[in-house]
Every structure is written in C-alpha cells, then in structure tokens.
Amino acid sequence: MNKLVVSLGVLLCFAFAKAYSQPSIEALLSREQAIQLMLENNYGIKIAKNTTKIAENNSGILNSGYLPSLQGNAGASRDENDSNTDFNGAVDQNGAVREDITINNAQTTQYNAGLSLNYTLFDGLGRLYNYKRLQEQYQLSQLEVRSTIENTTVQLMSVYLEIARLTENVRVLEENLEISKRREQRAAYQFEYGQVNKLEVLNARVDINTDSITILNTKQLLRNTKRDLNLLLNRELQANFVVDTTVVLQNMLVMDSYLEKVPDNNVRLLQSASNLQISDYDIRTSRALLLPRIGLTGSYGWNQSINPPTAFFPSTTRTGSNIAVGANLTWDIFDGGRSINGLRNAKISYENEALFKSQLEQEVARDVANAKGNYTNALAIYSMQEQNVLTNKSNFERSQEQFKLGQVSSIEFRQAQVNLLNAATIKNLAKYDAKLAEYQLLQLAGQLLNVPL
C-alpha cells in the first residue's frame, strides 16, 4: 500500500513538472488586430482626432456668422425718500389753515426688460467665403488625421515586421544549434572510440556556445522589439504575443495601377490642394472688406414704474412697452489702407501656396520613383536570396553527408553550416525589407489604408 502511494506521488510530481515545463501558449497578434489596437489606443492618433473634432465644431452653422444675435437685458431699482411739505400757514379753500405733510420711507420701484436683435443681411459675401474656408479647414484636418494614421501604420508595420524577422531568425538559429549539438555528440562518440582527438570535441563545444549566445542576444532583441510594439499600441509593455510571419507581396501590375492615381490619392498632395483652396477663400474674404455691409436691427422693451403718494398726488403705477425695427448701412470707405494691405498679403500667400504645391508635386514624383525602384530592387534581392538559400542548403546537405563519411573536415562542415545560417537570415531580412518597401510605396500611392496589410 505504501509503495502504491509513493508511486502515485512520484507520478503526480512528474505530471506537474511536465506541465510547468511546457511553455505558455502566446496569443497571435495579427496585422489587422495590431492596426485596430493602434487606431483605438495610439496617443498621436487620439490627439489628431480631437483636433478634427474642434475643426468640425468650427465649421458648423453656429460659427458661420449666418445666424442673428439676440440679446436680453433686465433691471430693477428701488428708492426710498423722506419728504416734508410745509405750507407756511396757507389756508385751503374752506379757509382752514393747512397742516404740514410729512411722508417717511416713500418707495419708488422701477422695472425694465428688453430684447435686441441684430442680423447682418449683406457683408460683401465675407461670411460666405469664411464659412467655406472653415469647411475646407475641416477637410484639411481630416487629411491630417489620415496622414497621422498612415505614418503611424508604417511605423507600426516596420516594428511588426522586425518582430516577425527576429521570430524566424530565432527558429533558424535554434535549428542551427541542434545541428551543432549533433555534431558535438558525434565528435564525443568518435573521441571515445579514438577516431578523433579532443580538439574536435572542444571546437564543437565552442561552436555550441557561440550559437547559444547568438540565440540569447536575438531573443533579447525580440523581447525589446515587442515592447516597442506594445508602446505604439499603448498597452501593457510586458504583454507577450506572437506575430504572423506570412508575407504576401503585391503584384507589380496592381502596384502600377495604384501609382497612376497618385495625384488623386496622395495625402500630401491633397493637403497642399486644400491649403491652396483656403488661401483662395482668404483672398475673397479680404476683398469683401472693401464692400458695404447692410444690417437689420430690432428691439422690444418693457418698463414699469411704481411711484409712492406725494403731497399732491396719490400712489401711481405706470407700465409701458416699445418696439423698434430698423436697418443700417456701414461702409468703410477708407480704413487707413488696412483692408487693401490685407488683400495684397492674401494674394501673395496664395502665390506661395501655389509654388509650394508645384514643388511638392515634384518631390512626390521623385519619392514615388525612388520607392518603386526600392520595391523592385527588394523583390529582386528577395528572389535571389531564396535561390541562395536553396544553393547553400544543397551544399550543406552534401557537406553533411561527406562529413559523416569523413571526407570533409569539421572546419569545412562548420563553414557550410554558417553559410546556410547566413543565407537563411539574409533571406528573412530581404523578405521583410521587400514588404516594408511595399508599405512605403502604398503610402505614397495613397492606398495604404485601402488594401489588406
């Protein structure tokens, strides 16, 4: 019975030890999930969206100048007076001497209330163009949000792809370490049977240590890069996850179709066009200051006065109201030249915006040409690196067979192993460089947010 209990205890211990030794399953963070978290949590995007809300409020009818202004006012006052009327022995109509009249704390109360209405009927179309300007500024703020999202997306994908590259590198390095361990075991067996000297074993162990250190450094870099991604997503820095290492590259014909519409979709060009339109509205608004302004006014007033009795009159209450409607014409025939000077400056600002737009068009055309060249070059390099991996893999397999037969030395075998490792890691770098170049080209084409990443 005791032996049975001990056996069960040992089995349970092994079961728990195995459970704890198994690595925890890490959640997959897809590109789509990363983008969604970025849109929800990134500080820069939140700030840009709040700025857009301000611009939207400013572009509404409440800030247009088209609505009338209505003011209300009301007031009340009370006076207390003491009065004494001395008739100086005067007699009344019956011949009796009139007595002096003293009135204390005589209160006079007054109330008033009024409404005044003002409306600008015509201001030289200034408010019309100012309203259009505010609408265009709202559109510009939306473009600025889009620009922020695009830039943050490229930054996010750059970090995401780096995590994917390091993840694949860790896998390649671990496979490489297993090869070194098998070589060390083979050298140990051979040394045991006197087939090789101790140096072969020591060299194999040195290579194992070198490969292990490389894995440690790569894993640490991978953890650091994951924290960089968590920072961009504004979530717990220590949150662990795995990424999707699958890469699907766009067809070049599809990319060319996107590039044909760069003038219509590139966010920088759209921002420049919006700024140019705003400058045009500034000119029209400044010109409106030279024209007369016509306004309508209206008012309604109500007042009440409660007067105390006097020596000659009883207490009285007077109530009244009035309504007034009018129109006014205002024309700044000459304001010292401020309006004319403002109009001239607005025209110069428009010319500057037009020049900047032309310059930007050339810069974007250059950037698109460079990005397309980088993408084409990256695709070619990736294709060659894939072939290079196949060549080195074939060379390694041949070297491995010859090494087992004793036809090549351990140094030659190690060199073939290192060549295969370098080819695999360089291929990973080429693959993710090509994908990042694709993202940058899609951003310039204005399609980054419209295609699956």
Side-chain angles (χ1 to χ4, degrees):
M1 183 67 180
N2 291 335
K3 290 183 178 180
L4 179 60
V5 173
V6 172
S7 300
L8 289 175
V10 172
L11 289 175
L12 288 174
C13 289
F14 275 114
F16 281 117
K18 184 178 181 181
Y20 281 110
S21 65
Q22 291 178 348
S24 58
I25 299 176
E26 299 173 345
L28 172 66
L29 179 66
S30 66
R31 293 179 178 87
E32 292 74 16
Q33 290 172 332
I35 293 296
Q36 186 63 34
L37 289 172
M38 179 198 71
L39 294 175
E40 294 174 357
N41 301 329
N42 184 266
Y43 285 122
I45 294 177
K46 285 184 176 181
I47 293 172
K49 287 183 177 180
N50 286 337
T51 303
T52 300
K53 291 179 181 179
I54 294 175
E56 183 180 11
N57 293 335
N58 290 337
S59 66
I61 191 67
L62 297 178
N63 194 45
S64 65
Y66 277 104
L67 299 179
S69 62
L70 180 64
Q71 294 179 328
N73 59 79
S77 64
R78 188 175 73 170
D79 296 331
E80 291 187 2
N81 297 295
D82 296 334
S83 64
N84 181 47
T85 304
D86 188 355
F87 291 100
N88 295 322
V91 298
D92 58 15
Q93 59 184 358
N94 296 324
V97 178
R98 302 189 66 172
E99 296 181 356
D100 296 341
I101 300 176
T102 300
I103 300 177
N104 295 322
N105 299 325
Q107 296 181 356
T108 301
T109 305
Q110 294 181 337
Y111 302 98
N112 64 83
L115 293 174
S116 60
L117 179 70
N118 293 280
Y119 181 68
T120 300
L121 191 63
F122 177 77
D123 66 345
L125 300 179
R127 62 182 172 180
L128 171 63
Y129 293 116
N130 184 60
Y131 179 65
K132 290 184 176 181
R133 182 183 188 277
L134 293 173
Q135 290 284 326
E136 191 64 37
Q137 283 184 326
Y138 172 54
Q139 298 297 326
L140 178 60
S141 70
Q142 290 182 314
L143 290 174
E144 290 172 350
V145 171
R146 175 185 157 186
S147 177
T148 301
I149 292 175
E150 286 184 355
N151 291 331
T152 308
T153 299
V154 171
Q155 182 184 6
L156 176 71
M157 288 296 101
S158 175
V159 180
Y160 189 96
L161 293 177
E162 179 64 8
I163 294 173
R165 184 184 74 86
L166 292 172
T167 300
E168 289 205 338
N169 281 358
V170 167
R171 179 182 57 79
V172 171
L173 290 169
E174 288 176 343
E175 292 176 357
N176 183 68
L177 179 60
E178 288 300 318
I179 294 173
S180 297
K181 287 181 178 180
R182 289 196 297 268
R183 174 188 155 207
E184 191 269 340
Q185 290 177 352
R186 179 181 178 83
Y189 291 147
Q190 288 177 329
F191 173 73
E192 184 178 347
Y193 291 102
Q195 296 177 354
V196 296
N197 56 31
K198 186 67 173 179
L199 184 61
E200 290 288 337
V201 179
L202 295 177
N203 286 337
R205 290 176 181 173
V206 168
D207 291 337
I208 288 176
N209 289 336
T210 300
D211 294 341
S212 300
I213 291 172
T214 303
I215 290 176
L216 288 175
N217 289 333
T218 305
K219 286 185 175 180
Q220 180 59 38
L221 184 58
L222 176 60
R223 287 190 290 267
N224 293 344
T225 311
K226 285 185 177 182
R227 280 188 282 268
D228 291 339
L229 186 64
N230 286 331
L231 180 63
L232 281 173
L233 300 180
N234 188 23
R235 65 177 191 167
E236 174 59 40
L237 293 178
Q238 303 303 327
N240 206 355
F241 56 90
V242 294
V243 298
D244 184 8
T245 59
T246 304
V247 168
V248 179
L249 297 169
Q250 292 281 353
N251 186 283
M252 203 60 208
L253 294 176
V254 176
M255 296 296 293
D256 287 336
S257 67
Y258 292 153
L259 296 179
E260 292 175 358
K261 301 179 181 179
V262 167
D264 299 326
N265 297 322
N266 181 272
V267 69
R268 294 175 63 196
L269 294 178
L270 293 176
Q271 286 176 307
S272 179
S274 183
N275 282 321
L276 187 64
Q277 185 62 63
I278 290 174
S279 295
D280 180 64
Y281 289 144
D282 286 339
I283 293 176
R284 297 173 185 270
T285 303
S286 299
R287 189 178 288 122
L289 297 176
L290 303 175
L291 299 176
R293 296 181 296 279
I294 300 175
L296 299 177
T297 61
S299 64
Y300 171 79
W302 173 87
N303 59 79
Q304 184 181 73
S305 177
I306 303 174
N307 301 305
T310 64
F312 303 100
F313 299 100
S315 173
T316 60
T317 298
R318 291 184 295 178
T319 303
S321 63
N322 62 79
I323 299 176
V325 178
N328 57 70
L329 173 68
T330 305
W331 193 353
D332 295 328
I333 298 175
F334 184 71
D335 61 355
R338 289 189 298 273
S339 298
I340 296 176
N341 188 63
L343 179 59
R344 289 173 178 172
N345 290 337
K347 289 181 178 179
I348 295 173
S349 297
Y350 180 83
E351 292 177 3
N352 285 339
E353 286 294 339
L355 292 172
F356 177 75
K357 185 174 183 293
S358 299
Q359 178 186 6
L360 187 61
E361 287 173 348
Q362 291 184 336
E363 292 179 356
V364 170
R366 177 206 62 193
D367 294 342
V368 168
N370 291 344
K372 183 178 179 181
N374 293 338
Y375 182 53
T376 304
N377 189 61
L379 290 177
I381 292 175
Y382 176 47
S383 177
M384 287 187 289
Q385 290 298 338
E386 282 186 314
Q387 185 61 43
N388 194 32
V389 168
L390 295 176
T391 302
N392 278 277
K393 185 177 181 181
S394 176
N395 179 61
F396 171 74
E397 290 174 350
R398 282 175 172 268
S399 299
Q400 190 175 38
E401 291 298 326
Q402 292 176 346
F403 178 68
K404 291 179 181 179
L405 298 174
Q407 296 177 357
V408 298
S409 66
S410 60
I411 296 177
E412 292 174 319
F413 175 75
R414 176 64 179 178
Q415 187 60 51
Q417 178 188 358
V418 170
N419 289 342
L420 177 59
L421 172 64
N422 291 338
T425 55
I426 293 174
K427 186 207 75 170
N428 289 339
L429 178 62
K431 178 172 68 172
Y432 294 111
D433 279 349
K435 191 61 179 178
L436 182 59
E438 178 186 292
Y439 288 148
Q440 293 169 342
L441 188 57
L442 287 171
Q443 181 185 14
L444 288 169
Q447 298 293 334
L448 182 64
L449 307 180
N450 301 327
V451 299
L453 299 179

